[in-house]
Amino acid sequence: MDKNIQEVMLTEAQIQSRIAEMGEILSEEYRDKNPVVIGVLKGVVVFYADMIRKITVPCQMEFMQISSYEGTESSGSVVVKQDIAVDIKGRHVLILEDIFDTGNSLSFVHAHLMAKEPASLKICTLLDKPERRKPGVTLQADYVGFTIPNEFVVGYGLDYNEYYRNLPYIGIMKPEAYT
Ligand code: IMP
Ligand code: MG
């Protein structure tokens, strides 16, 4: 285990087994719908690569990247760094995310994609931290891998200062590693 990780929250095996379960549900849901599966970079990359291979129906892969600027005020503003490259009007769209935290990012992404008039738009997130949700965020994820407590986690795509994304598990960082 990495020296800066205090505890493994989710092992590789736990993650893979949950992804296999979700794959069956998503494959059933999107049968004959040829969905566009949109990943929100960069945190989602590892989850995306595993999840997409458990979706057994024809689908298209797309990515977008956003940036969040947390100012002094409580509402962080979000901008699109890279938009998707296909027209999703009238298409069934599934958003894949690494974590649903305050809800800032997903609320923005959801509204941004809704404006493109998809036939349907659903959210699948690997992790959900409901305790962190900002008041006023009513958006909910349609598919959740794991609901987790309010701990800062890294690995399996999730970063701390851009590091730890390559850990194969999801771990809780040691507090002293933050300083
Ligand atoms: P939001 O607060 O729901 O908008 O989440 C914004 C982004 O913060 C997520 O997409 C992650 O990149 C990041 N984030 C939130 N919680 C964690 C965490 O526990 N570890 C690492 N990144 C996190
Ligand atoms: Mg991040």
Side-chain angles (χ1 to χ4, degrees):
M1 195 161 70
D2 189 280
K3 66 176 178 8
N4 289 326
I5 303 299
Q6 166 180 303
E7 187 190 325
V8 175
M9 181 184 273
L10 296 165
T11 64
E12 262 185 281
Q14 285 175 308
I15 297 168
Q16 293 309 325
S17 139
R18 183 68 184 123
I19 288 174
E21 285 174 5
M22 292 168 91
E24 287 186 17
I25 295 165
L26 291 173
S27 301
E28 189 55 41
E29 170 69 30
Y30 286 100
R31 186 183 307 281
D32 302 320
K33 289 186 177 164
N34 292 49
V36 182
V37 182
I38 300 179
V40 185
L41 298 171
K42 292 182 264 185
V44 83
V45 286
V46 182
F47 172 50
Y48 193 106
D50 285 341
M51 189 71 254
I52 202 80
R53 286 178 290 175
K54 298 292 179 198
I55 297 176
T56 56
V57 298
C59 61
Q60 278 175 263
M61 293 170 57
E62 281 293 318
F63 297 93
M64 60 180 291
Q65 188 164 18
I66 55 172
S67 280
S68 307
Y69 297 102
E70 291 291 341
T72 43
E73 74 270 59
S74 58
S75 63
S77 72
V78 182
V79 294
V80 177
K81 273 177 96 174
Q82 185 200 308
D83 207 347
I84 53 168
V86 297
D87 185 10
I88 57 166
K89 185 168 182 173
R91 300 291 304 275
H92 293 283
V93 175
L94 177 66
I95 302 169
L96 290 193
E97 249 285 39
D98 53 351
I99 187 164
F100 193 5
D101 191 45
T102 64
N104 262 338
S105 310
L106 267 174
S107 298
F108 176 87
V109 167
H110 188 267
H112 175 79
L113 295 176
M114 275 306 278
K116 297 177 189 281
E117 301 178 44
S120 70
L121 182 60
K122 289 192 171 189
I123 297 169
C124 172
T125 184
L126 177 64
L127 304 176
D128 186 9
K129 253 197 241 176
E131 287 168 53
R132 286 264 301 165
R133 208 78 85 246
K134 257 178 33 183
V137 173
T138 52
L139 190 71
Q140 288 189 337
D142 300 280
Y143 307 96
V144 174
F146 301 93
T147 299
I148 62 167
N150 187 9
E151 302 269 15
F152 191 81
V153 289
V154 293
Y156 200 72
L158 292 137
D159 72 302
Y160 170 63
N161 281 348
E162 295 298 330
Y163 284 91
Y164 305 104
R165 293 193 197 273
N166 57 328
L167 295 178
Y169 54 84
I170 290 171
I172 303 171
M173 281 189 72
K174 285 181 186 160
E176 58 265 36
Y178 288 87
T179 53

